[in-house]
Amino acid sequence: MNEHDSERIAGVLEADGLVPANGVAEADVVVLNTCCIRENADNKLYGHLGHLRSLKQARPGMQIAVAGCLAQKDRDLIVERGPGVDVVLGTHNVGRVASLLRVAAESGPVVEIWEEAALEEGELFPSALPVRRELGHAAWVTIQIGCDNSCAFCIVPAVRGAERSKPFGEVVGEVSQLAAGGVTEVCLLGQNVNSYGRDLTTALRSVGRDPASEEWLAGPAWSGPGGAGRRARPLFADLLAAVGAVAGIRRVRYTSPHPKDLRPETIEAMAATAAVCEHLHLPLQSGSDRVLASMHRGYTAARYLERMAAARAAVADLAVTTDIIVGFPGETEDDFDQTLAVVAEAAYDSAYTFIYSPRPGTEAAAREASFVASETVADRFARLKVVVDRSALARHRARVGRLEEIVVEGPSKRDPGVLSGRTRQNKVVHLPPPPGGLRAGTYATVTVTAAAPHHLSGSLVSVDASPTHKTRIPVASG
Ligand code: 5AD
Ligand code: SF4
């Protein structure tokens, strides 16, 4: 979500006539878009600001802006602790970045943070803002902001507020517009996509309106056995189907479902909608039931594994990835062993692993007496990586010899002589470019020739020859 905000900030500035600089030292405007979900974003921010201040002393015309949820949270402190900052803007003020920079150039530093409660519906989801997308063919689409859960480690509910969903018709309209502009892949963004739409229907019912008769809200499969106004099917499952049906959209991704709410309907919609990619990101956080309970996650390891198995059974060739936190307060060696066991059983395709970091104001941050020693955490973190990499490599090795559809992303970041693409399962494939290269956004078929824990290698078979459908592409002979 933070990356998507960065794309909007860049888009708004570009629409105002700015062009990307070659680096910070040459830039007239530097925007730091902060995220306070993990790590010490604040320490990093003040470090960066110190560096920028010395650049600014040499080039006084340079302007510095700080955006994102840390800016939202620490507002005036940033101006105080970061002399040289021209603009501090909140997560809802992205569209105003260019004009705020102009105001600051004329009359000194400005802080502008709009509180969610004061916003009109349309201002919550600024989909009309220009976006400077890193990849031309792929776009993020925010379907929901905020979160109504209360995981003990997480600062999102505090900084992003209550769950708010973008109306169904608006999401589909946005995707159709993106498709008309050449986008073929979308990733639907929300903190808990399975509760997508719950706030809309609740709000309508509270004022005596029937959600089923609201065209702007209703999905195509609205009328279910539950009767008028009572959905038999969660709106997210319909949204997957509707977005997948938009002409020109070949790949639909989403992130993330909460394991406690992963409904069979969502899995069915994934299986039934050809464009929805065979990838499920299902955050585990811990494999210990004791730790899961103290995190308030609302599921047990067994329940999690059951849901994952149901998804794997329904969606052929499904890749599953996850998020895991190591060293949550009170995590014992036995708890951690259970995480290792679940991770081994889940056989993930990849996992984002995080060291627990206390977020000020969250429930777990107050449990100082049960913080885990940093050496212990470092040791567990390294052990977890070994298990994750082992299963990722095994999953990747099983793909060697297969044909895969990729979409080309461009030259590899590490080696510009190598082309990078992405499979439907969200795996990076490196391949030697054909003579004349291949444009980013091109769909192609490759044979997988080798596997590593974090990527595949392949060789080009044909360009744009593979249809978008669920049936598995046959294994290459030999
Ligand atoms: N410490 C470590 N990791 C965290 N995450 C969220 N909050 C914290 C925290 N305080 C991780 C979770 C989540 C992912 C987006 O970030 O694993 O799923
Ligand atoms: Fe944070 Fe939990 Fe909400 Fe995810 S579901 S954003 S981890 S509170």
Side-chain angles (χ1 to χ4, degrees), residues 284-285 322-327 331 336 339-344 348 351-355 377-391:
L284 170 69
Q285 312 302 2
T322 199
D323 292 344
I324 299 161
I325 297 177
V326 179
E331 182 189 74
F336 180 68
T339 297
L340 288 183
V342 173
V343 169
Y348 291 113
Y352 294 102
T353 51
F354 306 110
I355 287 180
V377 177
D379 174 64
R380 289 180 190 165
F381 190 78
R383 280 154 65 204
L384 176 61
K385 187 174 175 340
V386 171
V387 179
V388 167
D389 282 357
R390 192 187 301 144
S391 75

PDB file of all heavy atoms in Angstrom, residues 284-285 322-327 331 336 339-344 348 351-355 377-391:
ATOM      1  N   LEU A 284       0.822 -16.335   8.241  1.00  0.00           N
ATOM      2  CA  LEU A 284       0.737 -17.276   9.361  1.00  0.00           C
ATOM      3  C   LEU A 284       1.075 -16.584  10.688  1.00  0.00           C
ATOM      4  O   LEU A 284       0.430 -16.807  11.687  1.00  0.00           O
ATOM      5  CB  LEU A 284       1.701 -18.449   9.119  1.00  0.00           C
ATOM      6  CG  LEU A 284       1.926 -19.422  10.280  1.00  0.00           C
ATOM      7  CD1 LEU A 284       0.673 -20.235  10.561  1.00  0.00           C
ATOM      8  CD2 LEU A 284       3.106 -20.370   9.992  1.00  0.00           C
ATOM      9  N   GLN A 285       2.089 -15.781  10.686  1.00  0.00           N
ATOM     10  CA  GLN A 285       2.625 -15.031  11.848  1.00  0.00           C
ATOM     11  C   GLN A 285       3.308 -15.930  12.870  1.00  0.00           C
ATOM     12  O   GLN A 285       4.428 -15.646  13.267  1.00  0.00           O
ATOM     13  CB  GLN A 285       1.567 -14.170  12.553  1.00  0.00           C
ATOM     14  CG  GLN A 285       0.704 -13.290  11.655  1.00  0.00           C
ATOM     15  CD  GLN A 285       1.444 -12.290  10.789  1.00  0.00           C
ATOM     16  OE1 GLN A 285       2.667 -12.230  10.797  1.00  0.00           O
ATOM     17  NE2 GLN A 285       0.728 -11.507   9.992  1.00  0.00           N
ATOM     18  N   THR A 322       3.740 -16.576   2.711  1.00  0.00           N
ATOM     19  CA  THR A 322       3.268 -16.170   4.038  1.00  0.00           C
ATOM     20  C   THR A 322       4.130 -15.080   4.658  1.00  0.00           C
ATOM     21  O   THR A 322       5.163 -14.701   4.104  1.00  0.00           O
ATOM     22  CB  THR A 322       3.210 -17.411   4.961  1.00  0.00           C
ATOM     23  OG1 THR A 322       2.369 -17.125   6.065  1.00  0.00           O
ATOM     24  CG2 THR A 322       4.587 -17.814   5.461  1.00  0.00           C
ATOM     25  N   ASP A 323       3.661 -14.579   5.800  1.00  0.00           N
ATOM     26  CA  ASP A 323       4.422 -13.653   6.658  1.00  0.00           C
ATOM     27  C   ASP A 323       4.595 -14.340   8.007  1.00  0.00           C
ATOM     28  O   ASP A 323       3.630 -14.912   8.536  1.00  0.00           O
ATOM     29  CB  ASP A 323       3.627 -12.372   6.943  1.00  0.00           C
ATOM     30  CG  ASP A 323       3.429 -11.483   5.735  1.00  0.00           C
ATOM     31  OD1 ASP A 323       4.136 -11.662   4.731  1.00  0.00           O
ATOM     32  OD2 ASP A 323       2.563 -10.588   5.803  1.00  0.00           O
ATOM     33  N   ILE A 324       5.789 -14.261   8.564  1.00  0.00           N
ATOM     34  CA  ILE A 324       6.028 -14.857   9.887  1.00  0.00           C
ATOM     35  C   ILE A 324       6.799 -13.863  10.754  1.00  0.00           C
ATOM     36  O   ILE A 324       7.750 -13.229  10.279  1.00  0.00           O
ATOM     37  CB  ILE A 324       6.837 -16.169   9.767  1.00  0.00           C
ATOM     38  CG1 ILE A 324       6.041 -17.185   8.941  1.00  0.00           C
ATOM     39  CG2 ILE A 324       7.142 -16.756  11.154  1.00  0.00           C
ATOM     40  CD1 ILE A 324       6.879 -18.296   8.386  1.00  0.00           C
ATOM     41  N   ILE A 325       6.373 -13.745  11.991  1.00  0.00           N
ATOM     42  CA  ILE A 325       7.079 -12.876  12.936  1.00  0.00           C
ATOM     43  C   ILE A 325       7.870 -13.754  13.910  1.00  0.00           C
ATOM     44  O   ILE A 325       7.324 -14.701  14.472  1.00  0.00           O
ATOM     45  CB  ILE A 325       6.093 -11.992  13.731  1.00  0.00           C
ATOM     46  CG1 ILE A 325       5.357 -11.047  12.764  1.00  0.00           C
ATOM     47  CG2 ILE A 325       6.821 -11.198  14.811  1.00  0.00           C
ATOM     48  CD1 ILE A 325       4.304 -10.176  13.442  1.00  0.00           C
ATOM     49  N   VAL A 326       9.141 -13.441  14.082  1.00  0.00           N
ATOM     50  CA  VAL A 326       9.987 -14.186  15.025  1.00  0.00           C
ATOM     51  C   VAL A 326      10.223 -13.319  16.248  1.00  0.00           C
ATOM     52  O   VAL A 326      10.506 -12.122  16.113  1.00  0.00           O
ATOM     53  CB  VAL A 326      11.344 -14.539  14.369  1.00  0.00           C
ATOM     54  CG1 VAL A 326      12.238 -15.287  15.351  1.00  0.00           C
ATOM     55  CG2 VAL A 326      11.131 -15.360  13.122  1.00  0.00           C
ATOM     56  N   GLY A 327      10.109 -13.937  17.436  1.00  0.00           N
ATOM     57  CA  GLY A 327      10.439 -13.219  18.675  1.00  0.00           C
ATOM     58  C   GLY A 327       9.302 -12.359  19.198  1.00  0.00           C
ATOM     59  O   GLY A 327       9.539 -11.349  19.868  1.00  0.00           O
ATOM     60  N   GLU A 331       7.486 -15.555  23.222  1.00  0.00           N
ATOM     61  CA  GLU A 331       7.726 -16.736  22.373  1.00  0.00           C
ATOM     62  C   GLU A 331       8.827 -17.597  23.004  1.00  0.00           C
ATOM     63  O   GLU A 331       9.951 -17.137  23.195  1.00  0.00           O
ATOM     64  CB  GLU A 331       8.145 -16.301  20.966  1.00  0.00           C
ATOM     65  CG  GLU A 331       8.375 -17.461  19.997  1.00  0.00           C
ATOM     66  CD  GLU A 331       9.009 -17.006  18.685  1.00  0.00           C
ATOM     67  OE1 GLU A 331      10.235 -16.695  18.692  1.00  0.00           O
ATOM     68  OE2 GLU A 331       8.304 -16.943  17.668  1.00  0.00           O
ATOM     69  N   PHE A 336       8.563 -21.638  19.179  1.00  0.00           N
ATOM     70  CA  PHE A 336       9.277 -21.463  17.921  1.00  0.00           C
ATOM     71  C   PHE A 336       9.416 -22.789  17.167  1.00  0.00           C
ATOM     72  O   PHE A 336       9.269 -22.842  15.940  1.00  0.00           O
ATOM     73  CB  PHE A 336      10.650 -20.822  18.165  1.00  0.00           C
ATOM     74  CG  PHE A 336      11.413 -20.630  16.890  1.00  0.00           C
ATOM     75  CD1 PHE A 336      10.977 -19.705  15.947  1.00  0.00           C
ATOM     76  CD2 PHE A 336      12.530 -21.404  16.592  1.00  0.00           C
ATOM     77  CE1 PHE A 336      11.636 -19.544  14.740  1.00  0.00           C
ATOM     78  CE2 PHE A 336      13.196 -21.251  15.389  1.00  0.00           C
ATOM     79  CZ  PHE A 336      12.754 -20.321  14.470  1.00  0.00           C
ATOM     80  N   THR A 339       6.420 -23.288  15.244  1.00  0.00           N
ATOM     81  CA  THR A 339       6.423 -22.491  14.003  1.00  0.00           C
ATOM     82  C   THR A 339       7.220 -23.228  12.927  1.00  0.00           C
ATOM     83  O   THR A 339       6.771 -23.372  11.784  1.00  0.00           O
ATOM     84  CB  THR A 339       7.026 -21.087  14.260  1.00  0.00           C
ATOM     85  OG1 THR A 339       6.190 -20.401  15.182  1.00  0.00           O
ATOM     86  CG2 THR A 339       7.125 -20.285  12.974  1.00  0.00           C
ATOM     87  N   LEU A 340       8.392 -23.734  13.332  1.00  0.00           N
ATOM     88  CA  LEU A 340       9.218 -24.458  12.346  1.00  0.00           C
ATOM     89  C   LEU A 340       8.456 -25.658  11.780  1.00  0.00           C
ATOM     90  O   LEU A 340       8.501 -25.930  10.574  1.00  0.00           O
ATOM     91  CB  LEU A 340      10.521 -24.945  12.988  1.00  0.00           C
ATOM     92  CG  LEU A 340      11.576 -23.887  13.324  1.00  0.00           C
ATOM     93  CD1 LEU A 340      12.833 -24.561  13.874  1.00  0.00           C
ATOM     94  CD2 LEU A 340      11.934 -23.030  12.116  1.00  0.00           C
ATOM     95  N   ALA A 341       7.725 -26.346  12.663  1.00  0.00           N
ATOM     96  CA  ALA A 341       6.993 -27.546  12.219  1.00  0.00           C
ATOM     97  C   ALA A 341       5.883 -27.159  11.239  1.00  0.00           C
ATOM     98  O   ALA A 341       5.694 -27.824  10.208  1.00  0.00           O
ATOM     99  CB  ALA A 341       6.415 -28.278  13.430  1.00  0.00           C
ATOM    100  N   VAL A 342       5.152 -26.093  11.537  1.00  0.00           N
ATOM    101  CA  VAL A 342       4.067 -25.675  10.640  1.00  0.00           C
ATOM    102  C   VAL A 342       4.641 -25.205   9.301  1.00  0.00           C
ATOM    103  O   VAL A 342       4.114 -25.527   8.233  1.00  0.00           O
ATOM    104  CB  VAL A 342       3.199 -24.561  11.288  1.00  0.00           C
ATOM    105  CG1 VAL A 342       2.184 -24.014  10.302  1.00  0.00           C
ATOM    106  CG2 VAL A 342       2.491 -25.097  12.524  1.00  0.00           C
ATOM    107  N   VAL A 343       5.735 -24.471   9.366  1.00  0.00           N
ATOM    108  CA  VAL A 343       6.354 -23.967   8.139  1.00  0.00           C
ATOM    109  C   VAL A 343       6.805 -25.146   7.267  1.00  0.00           C
ATOM    110  O   VAL A 343       6.604 -25.149   6.048  1.00  0.00           O
ATOM    111  CB  VAL A 343       7.533 -23.019   8.468  1.00  0.00           C
ATOM    112  CG1 VAL A 343       8.360 -22.700   7.233  1.00  0.00           C
ATOM    113  CG2 VAL A 343       6.994 -21.727   9.082  1.00  0.00           C
ATOM    114  N   ALA A 344       7.372 -26.160   7.915  1.00  0.00           N
ATOM    115  CA  ALA A 344       7.811 -27.332   7.148  1.00  0.00           C
ATOM    116  C   ALA A 344       6.605 -28.029   6.533  1.00  0.00           C
ATOM    117  O   ALA A 344       6.614 -28.418   5.362  1.00  0.00           O
ATOM    118  CB  ALA A 344       8.594 -28.281   8.051  1.00  0.00           C
ATOM    119  N   TYR A 348       5.928 -23.812   2.058  1.00  0.00           N
ATOM    120  CA  TYR A 348       5.698 -22.533   1.381  1.00  0.00           C
ATOM    121  C   TYR A 348       6.581 -22.370   0.150  1.00  0.00           C
ATOM    122  O   TYR A 348       7.692 -22.890   0.082  1.00  0.00           O
ATOM    123  CB  TYR A 348       5.996 -21.374   2.339  1.00  0.00           C
ATOM    124  CG  TYR A 348       5.006 -21.257   3.461  1.00  0.00           C
ATOM    125  CD1 TYR A 348       5.386 -21.491   4.776  1.00  0.00           C
ATOM    126  CD2 TYR A 348       3.687 -20.917   3.202  1.00  0.00           C
ATOM    127  CE1 TYR A 348       4.476 -21.379   5.810  1.00  0.00           C
ATOM    128  CE2 TYR A 348       2.762 -20.808   4.234  1.00  0.00           C
ATOM    129  CZ  TYR A 348       3.162 -21.037   5.522  1.00  0.00           C
ATOM    130  OH  TYR A 348       2.255 -20.939   6.542  1.00  0.00           O
ATOM    131  N   ALA A 351       8.486 -17.027   1.950  1.00  0.00           N
ATOM    132  CA  ALA A 351       7.917 -16.419   3.154  1.00  0.00           C
ATOM    133  C   ALA A 351       8.652 -15.130   3.455  1.00  0.00           C
ATOM    134  O   ALA A 351       9.874 -15.043   3.291  1.00  0.00           O
ATOM    135  CB  ALA A 351       8.044 -17.377   4.337  1.00  0.00           C
ATOM    136  N   TYR A 352       7.899 -14.123   3.851  1.00  0.00           N
ATOM    137  CA  TYR A 352       8.507 -12.904   4.385  1.00  0.00           C
ATOM    138  C   TYR A 352       8.658 -13.137   5.870  1.00  0.00           C
ATOM    139  O   TYR A 352       7.661 -13.395   6.566  1.00  0.00           O
ATOM    140  CB  TYR A 352       7.609 -11.692   4.171  1.00  0.00           C
ATOM    141  CG  TYR A 352       7.425 -11.309   2.727  1.00  0.00           C
ATOM    142  CD1 TYR A 352       6.263 -11.629   2.040  1.00  0.00           C
ATOM    143  CD2 TYR A 352       8.422 -10.603   2.042  1.00  0.00           C
ATOM    144  CE1 TYR A 352       6.084 -11.271   0.707  1.00  0.00           C
ATOM    145  CE2 TYR A 352       8.254 -10.240   0.715  1.00  0.00           C
ATOM    146  CZ  TYR A 352       7.083 -10.574   0.057  1.00  0.00           C
ATOM    147  OH  TYR A 352       6.913 -10.214  -1.241  1.00  0.00           O
ATOM    148  N   THR A 353       9.880 -13.078   6.359  1.00  0.00           N
ATOM    149  CA  THR A 353      10.099 -13.313   7.789  1.00  0.00           C
ATOM    150  C   THR A 353      10.537 -12.006   8.442  1.00  0.00           C
ATOM    151  O   THR A 353      11.373 -11.277   7.887  1.00  0.00           O
ATOM    152  CB  THR A 353      11.163 -14.399   7.998  1.00  0.00           C
ATOM    153  OG1 THR A 353      12.316 -14.066   7.214  1.00  0.00           O
ATOM    154  CG2 THR A 353      10.648 -15.758   7.558  1.00  0.00           C
ATOM    155  N   PHE A 354       9.947 -11.716   9.582  1.00  0.00           N
ATOM    156  CA  PHE A 354      10.209 -10.441  10.247  1.00  0.00           C
ATOM    157  C   PHE A 354      10.607 -10.679  11.685  1.00  0.00           C
ATOM    158  O   PHE A 354      10.056 -11.559  12.351  1.00  0.00           O
ATOM    159  CB  PHE A 354       8.949  -9.562  10.259  1.00  0.00           C
ATOM    160  CG  PHE A 354       8.347  -9.363   8.897  1.00  0.00           C
ATOM    161  CD1 PHE A 354       7.134  -9.961   8.569  1.00  0.00           C
ATOM    162  CD2 PHE A 354       8.990  -8.603   7.947  1.00  0.00           C
ATOM    163  CE1 PHE A 354       6.577  -9.783   7.312  1.00  0.00           C
ATOM    164  CE2 PHE A 354       8.437  -8.421   6.685  1.00  0.00           C
ATOM    165  CZ  PHE A 354       7.230  -9.010   6.366  1.00  0.00           C
ATOM    166  N   ILE A 355      11.534  -9.857  12.141  1.00  0.00           N
ATOM    167  CA  ILE A 355      11.855  -9.859  13.571  1.00  0.00           C
ATOM    168  C   ILE A 355      10.839  -8.953  14.247  1.00  0.00           C
ATOM    169  O   ILE A 355      10.573  -7.847  13.757  1.00  0.00           O
ATOM    170  CB  ILE A 355      13.305  -9.365  13.776  1.00  0.00           C
ATOM    171  CG1 ILE A 355      14.252 -10.486  13.313  1.00  0.00           C
ATOM    172  CG2 ILE A 355      13.555  -8.954  15.227  1.00  0.00           C
ATOM    173  CD1 ILE A 355      15.702 -10.188  13.443  1.00  0.00           C
ATOM    174  N   VAL A 377      16.496 -14.170  19.267  1.00  0.00           N
ATOM    175  CA  VAL A 377      15.674 -13.882  18.092  1.00  0.00           C
ATOM    176  C   VAL A 377      16.507 -14.059  16.816  1.00  0.00           C
ATOM    177  O   VAL A 377      16.051 -14.675  15.844  1.00  0.00           O
ATOM    178  CB  VAL A 377      15.095 -12.441  18.163  1.00  0.00           C
ATOM    179  CG1 VAL A 377      14.315 -12.126  16.906  1.00  0.00           C
ATOM    180  CG2 VAL A 377      14.215 -12.269  19.382  1.00  0.00           C
ATOM    181  N   ALA A 378      17.739 -13.552  16.852  1.00  0.00           N
ATOM    182  CA  ALA A 378      18.597 -13.636  15.659  1.00  0.00           C
ATOM    183  C   ALA A 378      18.837 -15.103  15.301  1.00  0.00           C
ATOM    184  O   ALA A 378      18.801 -15.497  14.128  1.00  0.00           O
ATOM    185  CB  ALA A 378      19.920 -12.914  15.908  1.00  0.00           C
ATOM    186  N   ASP A 379      19.053 -15.932  16.335  1.00  0.00           N
ATOM    187  CA  ASP A 379      19.309 -17.344  16.114  1.00  0.00           C
ATOM    188  C   ASP A 379      18.060 -18.037  15.527  1.00  0.00           C
ATOM    189  O   ASP A 379      18.146 -18.776  14.546  1.00  0.00           O
ATOM    190  CB  ASP A 379      19.702 -17.977  17.464  1.00  0.00           C
ATOM    191  CG  ASP A 379      19.842 -19.472  17.354  1.00  0.00           C
ATOM    192  OD1 ASP A 379      20.737 -19.897  16.603  1.00  0.00           O
ATOM    193  OD2 ASP A 379      19.036 -20.202  17.989  1.00  0.00           O
ATOM    194  N   ARG A 380      16.883 -17.711  16.077  1.00  0.00           N
ATOM    195  CA  ARG A 380      15.644 -18.310  15.554  1.00  0.00           C
ATOM    196  C   ARG A 380      15.386 -17.853  14.119  1.00  0.00           C
ATOM    197  O   ARG A 380      14.945 -18.635  13.277  1.00  0.00           O
ATOM    198  CB  ARG A 380      14.452 -17.918  16.441  1.00  0.00           C
ATOM    199  CG  ARG A 380      14.486 -18.608  17.779  1.00  0.00           C
ATOM    200  CD  ARG A 380      13.297 -18.203  18.638  1.00  0.00           C
ATOM    201  NE  ARG A 380      13.500 -18.697  19.996  1.00  0.00           N
ATOM    202  CZ  ARG A 380      12.813 -18.292  21.049  1.00  0.00           C
ATOM    203  NH1 ARG A 380      11.856 -17.385  20.928  1.00  0.00           N
ATOM    204  NH2 ARG A 380      13.069 -18.793  22.246  1.00  0.00           N
ATOM    205  N   PHE A 381      15.645 -16.592  13.890  1.00  0.00           N
ATOM    206  CA  PHE A 381      15.409 -16.024  12.562  1.00  0.00           C
ATOM    207  C   PHE A 381      16.234 -16.786  11.513  1.00  0.00           C
ATOM    208  O   PHE A 381      15.744 -17.162  10.454  1.00  0.00           O
ATOM    209  CB  PHE A 381      15.798 -14.536  12.590  1.00  0.00           C
ATOM    210  CG  PHE A 381      15.396 -13.773  11.363  1.00  0.00           C
ATOM    211  CD1 PHE A 381      14.077 -13.370  11.190  1.00  0.00           C
ATOM    212  CD2 PHE A 381      16.324 -13.451  10.384  1.00  0.00           C
ATOM    213  CE1 PHE A 381      13.689 -12.659  10.057  1.00  0.00           C
ATOM    214  CE2 PHE A 381      15.951 -12.751   9.252  1.00  0.00           C
ATOM    215  CZ  PHE A 381      14.627 -12.346   9.081  1.00  0.00           C
ATOM    216  N   ALA A 382      17.499 -17.054  11.856  1.00  0.00           N
ATOM    217  CA  ALA A 382      18.386 -17.762  10.923  1.00  0.00           C
ATOM    218  C   ALA A 382      17.888 -19.202  10.716  1.00  0.00           C
ATOM    219  O   ALA A 382      17.902 -19.724   9.589  1.00  0.00           O
ATOM    220  CB  ALA A 382      19.815 -17.758  11.466  1.00  0.00           C
ATOM    221  N   ARG A 383      17.423 -19.827  11.804  1.00  0.00           N
ATOM    222  CA  ARG A 383      16.927 -21.212  11.671  1.00  0.00           C
ATOM    223  C   ARG A 383      15.668 -21.268  10.822  1.00  0.00           C
ATOM    224  O   ARG A 383      15.458 -22.200  10.041  1.00  0.00           O
ATOM    225  CB  ARG A 383      16.659 -21.806  13.061  1.00  0.00           C
ATOM    226  CG  ARG A 383      17.955 -22.288  13.733  1.00  0.00           C
ATOM    227  CD  ARG A 383      17.860 -22.269  15.230  1.00  0.00           C
ATOM    228  NE  ARG A 383      16.870 -23.195  15.770  1.00  0.00           N
ATOM    229  CZ  ARG A 383      16.285 -23.039  16.972  1.00  0.00           C
ATOM    230  NH1 ARG A 383      16.561 -22.003  17.724  1.00  0.00           N
ATOM    231  NH2 ARG A 383      15.418 -23.928  17.395  1.00  0.00           N
ATOM    232  N   LEU A 384      14.818 -20.258  10.980  1.00  0.00           N
ATOM    233  CA  LEU A 384      13.589 -20.219  10.197  1.00  0.00           C
ATOM    234  C   LEU A 384      13.906 -20.076   8.707  1.00  0.00           C
ATOM    235  O   LEU A 384      13.306 -20.730   7.855  1.00  0.00           O
ATOM    236  CB  LEU A 384      12.710 -19.045  10.665  1.00  0.00           C
ATOM    237  CG  LEU A 384      11.430 -18.806   9.874  1.00  0.00           C
ATOM    238  CD1 LEU A 384      10.502 -20.017   9.937  1.00  0.00           C
ATOM    239  CD2 LEU A 384      10.691 -17.561  10.392  1.00  0.00           C
ATOM    240  N   LYS A 385      14.879 -19.235   8.415  1.00  0.00           N
ATOM    241  CA  LYS A 385      15.234 -18.999   7.012  1.00  0.00           C
ATOM    242  C   LYS A 385      15.669 -20.299   6.329  1.00  0.00           C
ATOM    243  O   LYS A 385      15.346 -20.551   5.167  1.00  0.00           O
ATOM    244  CB  LYS A 385      16.356 -17.951   6.943  1.00  0.00           C
ATOM    245  CG  LYS A 385      16.684 -17.522   5.526  1.00  0.00           C
ATOM    246  CD  LYS A 385      17.688 -16.382   5.530  1.00  0.00           C
ATOM    247  CE  LYS A 385      18.170 -15.955   4.178  1.00  0.00           C
ATOM    248  NZ  LYS A 385      18.052 -16.820   3.046  1.00  0.00           N
ATOM    249  N   VAL A 386      16.404 -21.126   7.086  1.00  0.00           N
ATOM    250  CA  VAL A 386      16.867 -22.400   6.520  1.00  0.00           C
ATOM    251  C   VAL A 386      15.659 -23.255   6.110  1.00  0.00           C
ATOM    252  O   VAL A 386      15.615 -23.822   5.016  1.00  0.00           O
ATOM    253  CB  VAL A 386      17.759 -23.160   7.541  1.00  0.00           C
ATOM    254  CG1 VAL A 386      18.063 -24.569   7.062  1.00  0.00           C
ATOM    255  CG2 VAL A 386      19.040 -22.375   7.811  1.00  0.00           C
ATOM    256  N   VAL A 387      14.650 -23.320   6.985  1.00  0.00           N
ATOM    257  CA  VAL A 387      13.475 -24.165   6.696  1.00  0.00           C
ATOM    258  C   VAL A 387      12.673 -23.577   5.532  1.00  0.00           C
ATOM    259  O   VAL A 387      12.209 -24.298   4.644  1.00  0.00           O
ATOM    260  CB  VAL A 387      12.593 -24.311   7.962  1.00  0.00           C
ATOM    261  CG1 VAL A 387      11.370 -25.161   7.670  1.00  0.00           C
ATOM    262  CG2 VAL A 387      13.402 -24.929   9.090  1.00  0.00           C
ATOM    263  N   VAL A 388      12.516 -22.253   5.513  1.00  0.00           N
ATOM    264  CA  VAL A 388      11.763 -21.597   4.433  1.00  0.00           C
ATOM    265  C   VAL A 388      12.479 -21.825   3.099  1.00  0.00           C
ATOM    266  O   VAL A 388      11.859 -22.221   2.100  1.00  0.00           O
ATOM    267  CB  VAL A 388      11.610 -20.077   4.718  1.00  0.00           C
ATOM    268  CG1 VAL A 388      11.129 -19.357   3.473  1.00  0.00           C
ATOM    269  CG2 VAL A 388      10.648 -19.837   5.873  1.00  0.00           C
ATOM    270  N   ASP A 389      13.782 -21.591   3.098  1.00  0.00           N
ATOM    271  CA  ASP A 389      14.531 -21.732   1.836  1.00  0.00           C
ATOM    272  C   ASP A 389      14.508 -23.173   1.330  1.00  0.00           C
ATOM    273  O   ASP A 389      14.457 -23.428   0.135  1.00  0.00           O
ATOM    274  CB  ASP A 389      15.985 -21.258   2.006  1.00  0.00           C
ATOM    275  CG  ASP A 389      16.075 -19.728   1.994  1.00  0.00           C
ATOM    276  OD1 ASP A 389      15.021 -19.088   1.797  1.00  0.00           O
ATOM    277  OD2 ASP A 389      17.179 -19.193   2.185  1.00  0.00           O
ATOM    278  N   ARG A 390      14.522 -24.113   2.279  1.00  0.00           N
ATOM    279  CA  ARG A 390      14.500 -25.530   1.876  1.00  0.00           C
ATOM    280  C   ARG A 390      13.196 -25.846   1.132  1.00  0.00           C
ATOM    281  O   ARG A 390      13.212 -26.448   0.061  1.00  0.00           O
ATOM    282  CB  ARG A 390      14.644 -26.411   3.120  1.00  0.00           C
ATOM    283  CG  ARG A 390      14.927 -27.866   2.790  1.00  0.00           C
ATOM    284  CD  ARG A 390      14.899 -28.731   4.047  1.00  0.00           C
ATOM    285  NE  ARG A 390      15.884 -28.303   5.039  1.00  0.00           N
ATOM    286  CZ  ARG A 390      15.678 -28.333   6.349  1.00  0.00           C
ATOM    287  NH1 ARG A 390      14.534 -28.753   6.860  1.00  0.00           N
ATOM    288  NH2 ARG A 390      16.617 -27.933   7.184  1.00  0.00           N
ATOM    289  N   SER A 391      12.057 -25.382   1.692  1.00  0.00           N
ATOM    290  CA  SER A 391      10.794 -25.716   1.028  1.00  0.00           C
ATOM    291  C   SER A 391      10.642 -24.928  -0.265  1.00  0.00           C
ATOM    292  O   SER A 391      10.134 -25.441  -1.259  1.00  0.00           O
ATOM    293  CB  SER A 391       9.596 -25.532   1.962  1.00  0.00           C
ATOM    294  OG  SER A 391       9.294 -24.178   2.137  1.00  0.00           O
TER     295      SER A 391
END
